[in-house]
Amino acid sequence: MEPTVILERYRRRADRFESLIAATADHQWSAQSPCEKWDARDVVGHIVMMHDVMLHPVHRIPSPGPTVAEDPLAAFRRARSDVEALLTDRDVAASKTSTPAGELTVSDMVDQVVSQDLVHHGWDLAKATGQDAAMDPDDVAELLPVVEALPPEMYEPGAYGPDIEVLGPKVSVPHDASPQDRLLGLLGRDPQWEAP
C-alpha cells in the first residue's frame, strides 16, 4: 500500500476519533462502553497505548504529555503526533518489523493495527457517550473481508500480545444485517448495544 494513502487514511480516521473525544463531556468518561471491562476513558487509554506500541520497533519512546487519566484529548493528540511522525518519515515508514501478522513495513503495521483500531474503537466510544456511531462505509468495506478472514487463533486471549484484548467472542447477527453490523458481530460486539 502506498505510504501516502496510508497516511491520509490514518489522518481521516484519527480526525474522527479525536472529534469523538473532544465531544465527550467530563461526566461521560466513566460511562460503560460496549467492551465489558472498559469505560469510555479506557477505550481512549487502549488507543493511546496501542499508538505507543507502534513506536517500539523503531526504538522511539512516547513524547512527553498528559496521561489519559489527566486529559484524554491531549493524551490522544500526543500519541497521534508520534505515530504521524513515523508515517511522514519515509525511511522509518518503509523499514521492516516483525508483527503477529508476519513481517511488515512500519507503515503497513500502523495501517493494519492502530488505523483499523480507530474505526471500531471509535464505535465503542461513540456508543458509550451517546454520539453518532455510524462508521465510514469505505472503512467497513475495507475491514469486513479482513476480519472475515481472521483465523480462529486470533480470537484467543493474548493473540495480539500480553494484556491486549482485541476480539471478543463473535456475536450472531441476522443474515440480512448491514455490513457495519456484520463487522461488529465478527469483532465481538453486539450492534444493538446501548449504554445502561
Side-chain angles (χ1 to χ4, degrees), residues 7 10-11 14-15 79-89:
L7 175 60
Y10 171 79
R11 283 178 168 161
D15 283 345
R80 173 183 182 172
S81 178
D82 285 347
V83 165
E84 285 193 24
L86 302 182
L87 296 177
T88 54
D89 183 320

Side-chain angles (χ1 to χ4, degrees), residues 5-84:
V5 173
I6 289 173
L7 175 60
E8 289 168 6
R9 179 161 55 205
Y10 171 79
R11 283 178 168 161
R12 174 175 56 79
R13 292 170 175 173
D15 283 345
R16 161 74 173 154
F17 196 83
E18 186 171 319
S19 73
L20 291 169
I21 299 173
T24 298
D26 288 344
H27 72 274
Q28 292 179 304
W29 286 114
S30 60
Q32 178 63 49
S33 84
C35 302
E36 184 180 344
K37 298 178 182 177
W38 291 351
D39 61 19
R41 191 183 302 271
D42 294 327
V43 174
V44 179
H46 172 78
I47 285 289
V48 168
M49 180 270 291
M50 289 304 297
H51 274 63
D52 291 346
V53 168
M54 299 296 97
L55 307 179
H56 297 171
V58 292
H59 310 294
R60 294 191 182 183
I61 61 172
S63 301
T67 66
V68 174
E70 295 166 338
D71 187 336
L73 182 58
F76 175 71
R77 285 175 172 164
R78 188 279 304 159
R80 173 183 182 172
S81 178
D82 285 347
V83 165
E84 285 193 24

